[in-house]
Amino acid sequence: MVDEMGLDLSLRTAMSGLRTVQKGLDTVSSNIANADTPGYTRKVLTQSTVVMDGKSLGVQTGNIEREVDTALQRETLTQESRVSRLGVLDQYLGQVEMLHGDPEQETSLGNVVNQMRDGFAKLMDSPSSIPLQNEVVSLADNLARTTNRLAEGINTIRTNVQGEIESAIDDINTQFQTIDDLNRKIRTSTALGQKEPDLEDKRDEAVRLVAEQIDINVMKRSDGSIAILDHYGQPLLEDTYKPLSIATTVISPQVAYPGGIPPIRLGDPTTGADVTGQLRGGRLGGLIELRDQSLPRFQAQLDEFSQTLSETFSAAGLTLFTDINGVVPADLPTTASIGYANQMQVSQTIRDDPRLLRDGDDATSAGAADSTLLRSIVDGVLGSGQTFQTAGLGPNSNLTSSLPASTDFASFATELVSYQVNEKANATSQLQSATSLRDQLKTKLSDQSGVNLDTEVSLLIQLQRSYSSSAQVVSTNRQMFNDLISIVR
């Protein structure tokens, strides 16, 4: 005899199986469709057995959940920030390298100094030669223009960096707004006992874009929302969205942060907390490093070279180089010569009367063949070691230089070019290593949390078989019910 209660239970079990398989098919189909979607993670349908009085009554589905290794994800974000920082350093230091060109070329700063020294040496043999005097003026002018070009190029790069800082802040604010909006939606669903894995994927993608800009820490809360913390653990985004902001400014060698360059504020653009020093790593961190450290250091090295050269010439009795006002800036404080490399020029007095190259500032000499001053310049000013400032540099007197503190001008200029060019080479080398590690982590994360089409297709086949089996049970139950009804009749 047919057990009516048993048929009912088996039908309920089969129907629950069909519903579970249908949801499973939806989940697998979504995984396959989004296999190439940026930030998408593999979704898994949770399920459990329904038990009553010790008997299985079928299966019930739970939430759709993500498969994500949060520790690996955090490590990948950190490496992403490092790659972005090194990438922007490599980009802009490469522009400095292009400014200098090949250190072996005649236009390199060290070679230009040597060319001027050779010009003075020729003039020393014929002190009254007007063509040689004019040639020395031309060579000196070439040196001044070379330092002008380099210094102006560095200031232009620094200006472009400031523009990128403002753009990066806008990008971060856009992602903060996205995260804040998704936080509210996820928080609401969590309160209802629901999970939102797709929204979490979108939020993770926004977090990744923020990590490209700055080094961050992510703290997940019990309500499903997340907080964004800076490199030092201070909050940037918590319960409510607060924008980052920076006032527009004009970049020059004389301005720096803190001081002439306004801070990056969190919240109110006027009274919000200054978070500039907390924004480390990532593209924005690299841009701030360039603006406040690397490029001002390069500028300071050029200023120190130009000021020391001009002062040494002047002390020898020949004011060959001055600023646009005809003045040689003082050596101390070092802030007095900031930006001097941008405006150093051959003294107008020398241009008007090149004979002063022989006679000196006091316009006196022992005769047309007197080479006393010229010899002191060739052997003393340009041929012997000089003292250079290597600390207390920059607008805030907080920068140091690794260039020699004592050497001749040609060697100092060569070292200057070598140092600034090698900074790019160092960034490139570090970037290659960091990128390789980042790519390894991304591959590992993708293997763990991404969609594997072979796996999904295999699971799809299993679900199709399960669906067929459950459908067969339903069909069999229907036939047995019909048989039961026929017997009753």
Side-chain angles (χ1 to χ4, degrees), residues 15 51 68 90 104 116 128 134 176 205 222 244 249 255 259 271 286 314 339 368 372 387 421 449 482-483 487:
M15 290 301 295
V51 179
V68 178
D90 183 70
E104 301 301 322
M116 186 180 71
S128 298
N134 290 333
F176 275 179
E205 179 63 12
S222 58
L244 294 171
T249 189
V255 300
T271 61
S314 182
T372 304
T387 300
V421 168
S449 61
N482 290 336
D483 292 344
I487 293 171

Side-chain angles (χ1 to χ4, degrees), residues 47-123:
Q47 58 188 61
S48 59
T49 302
V50 178
V51 179
M52 182 178 293
D53 297 331
K55 294 182 179 180
S56 174
L57 299 181
V59 62
Q60 65 179 4
T61 57
N63 289 312
I64 296 175
E65 297 184 351
R66 306 188 306 159
E67 287 192 335
V68 178
D69 184 333
T70 55
L72 180 59
Q73 186 181 50
R74 182 167 54 251
E75 188 178 357
T76 304
L77 286 178
T78 299
Q79 194 63 20
E80 192 79 63
S81 294
R82 184 163 183 260
V83 168
S84 295
R85 169 186 167 271
L86 291 169
V88 77
L89 291 179
D90 183 70
Q91 173 188 346
Y92 282 103
L93 292 175
Q95 294 181 22
V96 175
E97 181 184 45
M98 290 179 64
L99 268 179
H100 286 289
D102 187 346
E104 301 301 322
Q105 288 182 340
E106 292 184 356
T107 55
S108 179
L109 185 60
N111 290 332
V112 172
V113 174
N114 282 325
Q115 290 163 19
M116 186 180 71
R117 183 177 184 274
D118 292 342
F120 270 105
K122 291 179 182 178
L123 183 59

Side-chain angles (χ1 to χ4, degrees), residues 330-350:
D331 186 32
L332 293 173
T334 54
T335 51
S337 61
I338 293 174
Y340 178 58
N342 301 63
Q343 55 178 301
M344 185 178 77
Q345 63 181 23
V346 175
S347 167
Q348 189 61 47
T349 303
I350 299 295

Side-chain angles (χ1 to χ4, degrees), residues 32-53:
I32 293 174
N34 288 280
D36 296 324
T37 302
Y40 184 84
T41 59
R42 183 172 185 265
K43 306 302 186 298
V44 177
L45 176 67
T46 60
Q47 58 188 61
S48 59
T49 302
V50 178
V51 179
M52 182 178 293
D53 297 331

Side-chain angles (χ1 to χ4, degrees), residues 283-304:
R283 187 170 183 83
L284 177 57
L287 290 167
I288 293 173
E289 184 179 340
L290 284 163
R291 185 196 68 183
D292 297 341
Q293 297 289 327
S294 301
L295 295 174
R297 180 176 291 109
F298 295 168
Q299 174 75 46
Q301 290 169 343
L302 284 167
D303 288 337
E304 179 62 18

